[in-house]
Amino acid sequence: MSRWRPPAEKSTALITPEGHARLKAELDDLWRVRRPEVVRALSAAAAEGDRSENAEYTYRKKQLGEIDRRVRYLSKRLESLRVIDAAPSDPDAVFFGAHVELEDTDSGELAHYRIVGPDETDAKAGWISIDSPLARAMLKKRVDDEFEAQLPGGLVRFAVLAVDYRAA
């Protein structure tokens, strides 16, 4: 069995200032705190003798590989990201960074979303990626506009109730 994986889909290289700061903090924590801890634990496990039967050594080796993989990814990703810190020229329309209130026209259910970059999505907070089908469908819509979005559960009609670019 090979380790080949198909290349990931290209994601939009946009990010909010808060998201950028979070990724930089994660990279800093991984590089300055977690990696040195794991390296110390790995060298202590290696000093215990036979590495072929040493579960601690094997675990720390895998942990170090995961940290290094994430550090490489974050280092490359942070270079390619474009921080968007200003509201668009048309603040009445839905664009990146917008806080949007939607109503499902069939059920009357209300939902609040913020359109963010793919690196900072958070379903619990209602932050959806600009690459998601819902966000793509609502781009450039204005208050009182209706639109359809093809979601995993099927085609859903929404009405835009509010668009805001307030700070998080």
Side-chain angles (χ1 to χ4, degrees):
M1 209 153 146
S2 72
R3 291 181 165 209
W4 183 84
R5 293 185 186 112
E9 286 185 31
K10 289 285 186 190
S11 58
T12 305
L14 301 178
I15 194 165
T16 63
E18 306 89 43
H20 191 261
R22 245 188 326 275
L23 289 182
K24 282 182 77 170
E26 180 186 354
L27 177 60
D28 190 54
D29 178 61
L30 285 171
W31 190 248
R32 297 183 193 280
V33 179
R34 291 194 46 216
R35 191 175 192 286
E37 288 173 359
V38 172
V39 168
R40 278 192 294 279
L42 179 64
S43 62
E48 291 176 9
D50 186 13
R51 295 178 187 174
S52 65
E53 296 181 11
N54 189 336
E56 179 71 13
Y57 177 80
T58 304
Y59 171 72
R60 295 299 180 180
K61 198 78 166 146
K62 282 184 180 178
Q63 195 177 26
L64 184 62
E66 291 168 5
I67 289 172
D68 287 346
R69 193 169 16 265
R70 183 70 178 163
V71 164
R72 274 192 309 275
Y73 172 78
L74 288 174
S75 298
K76 288 179 182 177
R77 186 69 176 159
L78 283 168
E79 289 175 7
S80 68
L81 290 173
R82 199 172 96 217
V83 179
I84 306 295
D85 58 354
S89 58
D90 184 4
D92 296 330
V94 177
F95 292 106
F96 181 84
H99 293 264
V100 184
E101 184 176 0
L102 299 177
E103 177 185 8
D104 183 328
T105 56
D106 295 332
S107 68
E109 205 174 306
L110 297 179
H112 300 273
Y113 296 106
R114 181 173 187 204
I115 299 177
V116 294
D119 298 295
E120 51 186 333
T121 59
D122 181 356
K124 289 181 182 175
W127 289 18
I128 61 172
S129 169
I130 192 163
D131 296 332
S132 70
L134 180 58
R136 291 270 181 217
M138 77 170 90
L139 285 177
K140 299 182 183 176
K141 301 295 185 268
R142 299 172 176 280
V143 174
D144 295 330
D145 282 356
E146 290 190 8
F147 66 94
E148 293 180 343
Q150 184 66 44
L151 304 180
L155 192 65
V156 183
R157 289 188 57 76
F158 291 100
V160 178
L161 300 180
V163 178
D164 189 14
Y165 289 91
R166 67 184 182 273

